[in-house]
Amino acid sequence: MSRTIIVGVTAGIAAYKAASLVRELIKAGHDVHIVPTPASTQFIGTATWEGLTGNPVHTGVFDAGGADHIELARRADLIVVAPATADFIARTRAGIADDLLTTTILASSCPVIIAPAMHTQMWLSQATQDNVETLKSRGVIFIAPEDGALGSGDFGVGRMAAPQAIAWRALNVLTGSAGNESDLALTGCRVLITAGGTREPIDPVRFIGNSSSGRQGVALARAASDAGANVTLIASNIDASILNELPSGISIVSAPSAAEVEKSVMERLNHIDVVIMAAAIADFRPKAAHDSKIKKDPLSTEAPTIALEQTTDILAAVAQSSDRPSVLVGFAAETGTLDEVLELGRQKALRKNADLLAVNRVGHGHGFGDVDNSVYVLDHLGKMVGQASGTKSIVAQELISMIALRLGTIAR
Ligand code: CTP
């Protein structure tokens, strides 16, 4: 169903990126009206916005005559402001209505999404953070800026979130998928999720492992189950206290090593609609595990050499299988700057051929363990199609909504 969306554009270099956002929203079938602030037209002129949307564009309250601002505010189903400057956020918080955009927001009752873009210091300043907190407490949805290269040439947090990610969130808000519509979006759907981190035995007491806690996979299992799916969780070395959080309907299969995960996944494939590979699976394992504990020679300082062999790339094997599920989702844990992480993710998406690849920035407090998560979701060509950040449970719900969209079990 076509809805009326107002896109507010304020005076930042990222204004040009709003064009991609507008195109995504129009592509999804919506009637988009641009309301730029007067200063933003120094970056992108009104003719561009009129050309893109086919709708007239005004910046001042009385430009269109009469009570046009009230009329548009009343009709709007959603307002998205991208990019939003610190000044715009401050004026909105204070309820100042000195241009058409701030007036329209004040006169509307629909959901409002704000995607800030500004210099790091401005974003981190107490004034901006207070304004953001206050607006959030009034129900405004913020899409946090990312870290990366800024228009000023500096590097830090403040870059506007990707237009596709903003569009994704906007469409989600419109379909109400954060609320009730997606709740039973996967009814009857059979979902298999791998979670945790594998351990590859060296001898009976030692192994090669990794620090994945399994929390993101467990959150996905819960979200899929909450959405009505029939869930099987292939669990690799997940703490019982984490597994205990799961509802009783989920079937849990223990698979400590890569070989056991491979067997558990492949033998179930022909009964499965969705596979989500969230586990950190070893790429290499010892060629042969020792039958007995490897002992230190007290007379020698030599260390044993452990020969490794590659494990099967299970995600790629599922992608190539004749029983390939309707939706195959992979995860990519990468380190580096955001740009490096996205490029590695893009290459991996092309290599793995999953339908969706959730790229996860790990290390330095990101990704692993009991911390919030932030994932960028790419399609099989490496194009970003969504972003989710927040607690692992919120990220899981967003991913499950994206999967439901792919399956066509919820409409945009
Ligand atoms: N994966 C898999 N089988 C493996 C290794 C990984 O199915 N033997 C899956 C993971 O569950 C994840 C995705 O592949 O969904 C990406 O895992 P990752 O370790 O990031 O990628 P690799 O292919 O191992 O690439 P690299 O380690 O070189 O980055």
Side-chain angles (χ1 to χ4, degrees), residues 277-279 281-283 311-315 330-334 348 351-352:
M277 300 287 300
I281 299 165
D283 291 324
T311 59
T312 307
D313 186 330
I314 306 167
L315 179 59
F331 270 76
E334 308 289 359
K348 198 167 280 182
R351 215 167 55 231
K352 299 259 183 179

Side-chain angles (χ1 to χ4, degrees), residues 46-345:
T46 53
T48 302
W49 299 132
E50 285 181 347
L52 270 176
T53 62
N55 284 321
V57 172
H58 304 292
T59 61
V61 177
F62 302 110
D63 290 0
D68 192 57
H69 57 288
I70 300 293
E71 173 51 25
L72 191 56
R74 195 178 292 138
R75 272 174 43 214
D77 295 300
L78 176 69
I79 298 176
V80 186
V81 184
T85 59
D87 172 70
F88 162 80
I89 292 169
R91 284 186 293 131
T92 306
R93 184 244 170 117
I96 294 170
D98 58 354
D99 58 26
L100 184 56
L101 179 58
T102 45
T103 307
T104 305
I105 289 176
L106 209 54
S108 71
S109 56
C110 64
V112 176
I113 298 177
I114 292 181
M118 64 193 75
H119 191 267
T120 308
Q121 292 312 323
M122 294 175 80
W123 172 248
L124 295 177
S125 74
Q126 197 59 57
T128 301
Q129 289 301 312
D130 283 353
N131 292 336
V132 169
E133 283 314 309
T134 304
L135 287 170
K136 275 186 182 170
S137 71
R138 293 179 198 157
V140 173
I141 299 164
F142 274 82
I143 303 184
E146 297 168 353
D147 56 354
L150 303 173
S152 59
D154 292 333
F155 196 89
V157 66
R159 193 163 77 165
M160 189 176 88
Q164 292 88 341
I166 301 171
W168 161 257
R169 193 63 176 270
L171 297 171
N172 253 358
V173 169
L174 275 184
T175 56
S177 74
N180 28 5
E181 252 179 78
S182 80
D183 280 355
L184 291 172
L186 296 183
T187 299
C189 183
R190 296 156 304 178
V191 177
L192 182 140
I193 300 170
T194 67
T198 61
R199 292 180 182 175
E200 308 306 321
I202 297 171
D203 68 15
V205 292
R206 302 185 180 93
F207 56 83
I208 298 175
N210 60 69
S211 50
S212 175
S213 65
R215 281 195 171 86
Q216 187 61 76
V218 165
L220 279 160
R222 171 183 280 281
S225 169
D226 288 348
N230 202 321
V231 180
T232 302
L233 181 74
I234 310 293
S236 301
N237 310 299
I238 303 177
D239 219 74
S241 61
I242 297 174
L243 288 178
N244 285 343
E245 293 165 14
L246 284 171
S248 54
I250 294 175
S251 120
I252 301 174
V253 178
S254 170
S257 68
E260 284 157 301
V261 175
E262 181 183 357
K263 182 168 178 291
S264 307
V265 171
M266 297 317 274
E267 69 188 16
R268 287 174 173 78
L269 264 195
N270 60 348
H271 308 295
I272 293 294
D273 304 302
V274 175
V275 170
I276 307 175
M277 300 287 300
I281 299 165
D283 291 324
F284 307 99
R285 68 174 151 240
K287 256 189 176 160
H290 283 247
D291 290 337
S292 54
K293 189 179 168 201
I294 301 172
K295 289 289 195 188
K296 202 164 51 183
D297 180 348
L299 302 175
S300 159
T301 54
E302 295 240 331
T305 302
I306 299 167
L308 301 177
E309 64 181 8
Q310 274 200 24
T311 59
T312 307
D313 186 330
I314 306 167
L315 179 59
V318 173
Q320 282 158 20
S321 157
S322 54
D323 288 325
R324 185 189 164 115
S326 306
V327 179
L328 173 60
V329 184
F331 270 76
E334 308 289 359
T335 54
T337 64
L338 184 62
D339 286 341
E340 287 164 352
V341 162
L342 287 178
E343 176 52 24
L344 288 168

